[in-house]
Amino acid sequence: GTSFVPPFEYVLENGVEADFMLYLTDAYGPAPEKNELGIPVMWILTKGANDDSFCSFGEKIRFQDDYDQSYDL
């Protein structure tokens, strides 16, 4: 799976100022062991996502929408 660590490292190493981090994911991959950003993190888990025990921090919300539905944006 995809590692979730690089975006956290990027924010820390580049001094990015943010109020929160929002991550849309299937949760298949390694997550950071702890939140060193000092900001809230929200994980939006896709339908069929990996067990949400993949990460020990942040708010987790499971997305339950129908992927076949069309949206007018």
Side-chain angles (χ1 to χ4, degrees):
T2 302
S3 175
F4 308 114
V5 175
F8 287 85
E9 290 175 341
Y10 181 88
V11 169
L12 285 171
E13 293 170 2
N14 293 284
V16 175
E17 293 184 27
D19 294 324
F20 61 90
M21 180 178 269
L22 180 65
Y23 221 126
L24 179 64
T25 177
D26 63 6
Y28 285 95
E33 292 185 21
K34 59 184 177 180
N35 181 0
E36 297 180 2
L37 300 180
I39 58 174
V41 175
M42 181 174 286
W43 303 92
I44 308 299
L45 305 175
T46 58
K47 197 173 188 178
N50 191 19
D51 180 4
D52 50 354
S53 66
F54 80 101
C55 186
S56 62
F57 64 87
E59 181 78 22
K60 297 172 187 79
I61 297 174
R62 190 169 296 276
F63 187 71
Q64 295 294 330
D65 203 359
D66 182 357
Y67 293 123
D68 296 328
Q69 184 174 351
S70 295
Y71 295 96
D72 292 325
L73 301 179

